[in-house]
Amino acid sequence: MEIFMSVLIGLLFASAVYLMLSKSLLRIIIGTGLLSHGAHLMLLTMAGLKKGTVPLLGEQAKAYTDPIPQALILTAIVISFGVTAFFLVLAYRAYQELGTDNIDEMRGTE
């Protein structure tokens, strides 16, 4: 399962870099979202894909699941959602002012 997740993470990173290198502002925002999803999956895979019960003191189980990586990923998801929302509002405002989402056309004349 770790091999499949590693290949999936590599595909997410590759497509994110491809989208972030384009000239469209919307593609750059989608690329940052894909990059953050790849990082979340990488954290989850590095923590180990184990099956176990909830780490409570009252339960006597053979295997427990570590809650720290899951808490870190949940925090990162919330932060990336806020950053993506900010990027979308910023791109919408730039499109209203300039009438384009092309990065080259947004540059001012020097």
Side-chain angles (χ1 to χ4, degrees), residues 25-26 29-30 81-94:
L25 201 55
L26 188 60
I29 295 170
I30 292 171
F81 176 72
V83 169
T84 303
F86 174 71
F87 281 163
L88 285 172
V89 169
L90 190 65
Y92 179 69
R93 185 71 178 135

Side-chain angles (χ1 to χ4, degrees), residues 35-97:
L35 188 70
S36 68
H37 287 307
H40 300 155
L41 285 176
M42 185 178 69
L43 281 173
L44 186 65
T45 305
M46 287 176 57
L49 302 173
K50 298 181 267 186
K51 293 183 179 178
T53 62
V54 180
L56 296 175
L57 293 177
E59 293 187 25
Q60 301 297 325
K62 295 180 182 178
Y64 292 106
T65 306
D66 189 16
I68 298 296
Q70 295 172 6
L72 288 173
I73 292 169
L74 184 61
T75 305
I77 287 171
V78 170
I79 291 171
S80 68
F81 176 72
V83 169
T84 303
F86 174 71
F87 281 163
L88 285 172
V89 169
L90 190 65
Y92 179 69
R93 185 71 178 135
Y95 183 76
Q96 278 184 338
E97 286 292 321

